[in-house]
């Protein structure tokens, strides 16, 4: 059994920011990550550009310098790797936390895919990129249906359906069209989403106008077969050929993991019960950092504001450990 004072679950930017803040407060936290550091950013499309400027993605007072105002995915990966090396953050990568239980003596027993730990305080910074929103329709689990988009090249000269109309869907449609796929986009909204990044919307609109991307508004997807996607617009039923389908329908936090620890989660919003001044949950000694604090509202907390949770947590931990 390995003993630690503080364990952080999740090595995304907000988890790493919390680790740095704890180090600066005099602690030596251990970060456990089921992938490698900033795994969610790694899973972004290869050529994706961030909505935020580079300084808003900085953690640990380490400057993120780029020539362009808005950094790209690969630049962010380099930056966060450099932060981990410079700050000497202790990270156990490719180690998945399976179970957390609170012991009678107020310590936490953390079981992972590789080891057993005991810690006094726990910080959960898992995000929710691993839990896609399902449409709950027939065929959604077929092999050619994906909830993540990485590369467009494998879909050259294929018929591809992109479901959704927000940033991830638009980014995927643009990359696929550029790589020579025949793209049909199905969006249940009645017009272009206001959340689409303003610098890519004109290009998307132009491709739709020029019938390079076949976009249908008010489209409700009903079923995915081996070769088609069936959808309705109003009372009319339509089908479109599909060699591959990208269901870019968003993501949600893993409420079951939080509830197993004893964290109360509001039924409607998915918000965990916590003190916003300290980020401590209703379970004493369990803290939350990053986007998971927003519950189901994926547009409330990003790296830009989630990175500030770490200092709040570290300040409270200093008080707790000194008493």
């Amino acid at each position: 059994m390995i003993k630690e004072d503080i364990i952080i679950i999740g090595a995304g930017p907000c988890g790493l920011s919390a680790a740095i803040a704890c180090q600066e407060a005099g602690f030596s936290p251990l970060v456990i990550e089921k992938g490698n550091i900033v795994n969610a950013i790694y899973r972004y499309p290869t050529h994706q550009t961030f909505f935020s400027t580079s300084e808003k993605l900085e953690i640990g007072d380490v400057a993120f310098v780029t020539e362009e105002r808005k950094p790209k995915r690969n630049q962010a990966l380099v930056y966060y790797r450099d932060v981990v090396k410079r700050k000497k953050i202790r990270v156990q990568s490719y180690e998945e936390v399976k179970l957390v239980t609170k012991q009678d003596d107020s310590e936490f027993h953390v079981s992972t895919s590789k080891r057993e730990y005991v810690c006094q305080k726990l910080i959960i910074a898992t995000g929710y990129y691993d839990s896609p929103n399902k449409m709950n329709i027939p065929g959604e689990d077929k092999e050619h249906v994906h909830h993540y988009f990485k590369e467009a090249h494998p879909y050259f000269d294929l018929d591809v359906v992109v479901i959704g109309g927000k940033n991830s869907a638009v980014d995927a449609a643009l990359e696929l069209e550029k790589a020579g796929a025949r793209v049909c986009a199905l969006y249940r909204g009645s017009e272009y989403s206001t959340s689409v990044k303003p610098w890519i919307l004109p290009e998307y609109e132009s491709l739709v106008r020029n019938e390079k991307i076949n976009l249908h508004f008010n489209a409700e997807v009903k079923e995915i077969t081996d070769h088609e996607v069936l959808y309705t617009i109003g009372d009319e039923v339509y089908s479109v050929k599909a060699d591959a389908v990208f269901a870019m329908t968003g993501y949600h936090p893993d409420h079951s993991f939080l509830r197993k620890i004893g964290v109360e989660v509001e039924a409607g919003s998915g918000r965990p019960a916590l003190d916003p001044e300290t980020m401590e949950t209703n379970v004493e000694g369990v803290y939350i950092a990053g986007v998971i604090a927003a519950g189901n509202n994926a547009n409330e907390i990003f790296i830009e504001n989630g990175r500030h949770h770490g200092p709040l947590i570290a300040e409270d931990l200093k008080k707790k450990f000194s008493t």
Side-chain angles (χ1 to χ4, degrees):
M1 188 75 69
I2 302 171
K3 291 192 173 183
E4 299 284 347
D5 286 337
I6 302 166
I7 285 180
I8 300 171
I9 304 175
C14 298
L16 296 176
S17 177
I20 294 168
C22 288
Q23 287 179 174
E24 292 174 347
F27 303 109
S28 180
L30 176 69
V31 182
I32 302 177
E33 166 59 51
K34 71 177 182 180
N36 211 327
I37 63 164
V38 295
N39 195 53
I41 294 176
Y42 166 72
R43 294 173 71 175
Y44 286 176
T46 302
H47 305 293
Q48 181 161 318
T49 300
F50 278 82
F51 188 89
S52 303
T53 55
S54 57
E55 68 270 12
K56 291 183 179 180
L57 304 178
E58 293 174 354
I59 59 174
D61 295 322
V62 177
F64 185 3
V65 180
T66 58
E67 292 181 3
E68 305 90 352
R69 187 165 178 267
K70 297 180 185 297
K72 292 181 170 58
R73 163 192 171 274
N74 283 351
Q75 293 171 317
L77 294 177
V78 172
Y79 169 75
Y80 289 115
R81 290 199 301 265
D82 186 53
V83 169
V84 169
K85 288 190 291 185
R86 290 175 62 177
K87 295 294 183 177
K88 296 181 172 62
I89 301 173
R90 298 167 59 217
V91 180
Q92 289 294 122
S93 58
Y94 299 104
E95 184 169 347
E96 183 176 2
V97 174
K98 297 292 189 179
L99 181 66
V100 175
T101 56
K102 191 166 187 178
Q103 308 299 298
D104 293 337
D105 55 4
S106 296
E107 289 186 326
F108 297 94
H109 183 193
V110 180
S111 298
T112 77
S113 55
K114 296 182 179 179
R115 302 173 182 86
E116 303 289 327
Y117 300 88
V118 170
C119 66
Q120 296 183 50
K121 307 294 181 185
L122 187 70
I123 301 172
I124 302 171
T126 51
Y128 44 70
Y129 197 59
D130 288 328
S131 304
N133 296 327
K134 295 296 188 70
M135 297 177 290
N136 299 315
I137 60 172
E140 186 172 13
D141 295 325
K142 289 182 178 292
E143 288 188 5
H144 69 300
V145 180
H146 314 280
H147 287 277
Y148 302 92
F149 174 78
K150 185 76 171 178
E151 293 276 1
H153 173 76
Y155 307 98
F156 164 72
D157 200 32
L158 297 182
D159 293 292
V160 182
V161 172
V162 177
I163 301 171
K166 295 187 178 180
N167 280 309
S168 60
V170 171
D171 283 335
L174 289 173
E175 289 293 322
L176 288 161
E177 190 279 333
K178 189 184 300 182
R182 294 178 291 276
V183 181
C184 175
L186 303 176
Y187 182 39
R188 64 183 181 181
S190 58
E191 58 186 19
Y192 292 105
S193 171
T194 56
S195 69
V196 177
K197 291 174 284 193
W199 62 89
I200 66 171
L201 185 57
E203 180 184 0
Y204 187 62
E205 289 180 311
S206 175
L207 290 171
V208 171
R209 281 197 311 271
N210 289 288
E211 299 182 349
K212 300 290 187 180
I213 292 176
N214 188 13
L215 170 63
H216 298 283
F217 290 111
N218 302 306
E220 293 286 343
V221 179
K222 297 300 182 181
E223 183 179 356
I224 300 171
T225 71
D226 289 338
H227 304 290
E228 292 181 319
V229 173
L230 306 179
Y231 65 98
T232 60
I233 298 178
D235 295 328
E236 296 293 325
V237 180
Y238 302 88
S239 67
V240 59
K241 188 177 177 182
D243 297 308
V245 177
F246 287 92
M248 313 306 289
T249 51
Y251 310 93
H252 63 272
D254 184 356
H255 295 142
S256 64
F257 181 77
L258 294 175
R259 290 193 175 105
K260 285 177 183 176
I261 301 173
V263 176
E264 296 174 0
V265 178
E266 191 176 88
S269 68
R271 291 178 183 275
L274 57 80
D275 180 349
E277 298 297 319
T278 65
M279 303 306 291
E280 187 174 24
T281 69
N282 62 286
V283 178
E284 186 177 355
V286 176
Y287 297 79
I288 285 180
V291 297
I292 196 170
N296 297 327
N297 187 356
N299 295 315
E300 181 177 321
I301 297 178
F302 305 91
I303 298 172
E304 299 97 302
N305 48 5
R307 61 184 174 155
H308 300 307
H309 294 161
L312 298 176
I313 295 170
E315 185 62 32
D316 193 61
L317 289 173
K318 282 173 62 177
K319 296 175 184 175
K320 295 283 177 60
F321 277 99
S322 64
T323 56

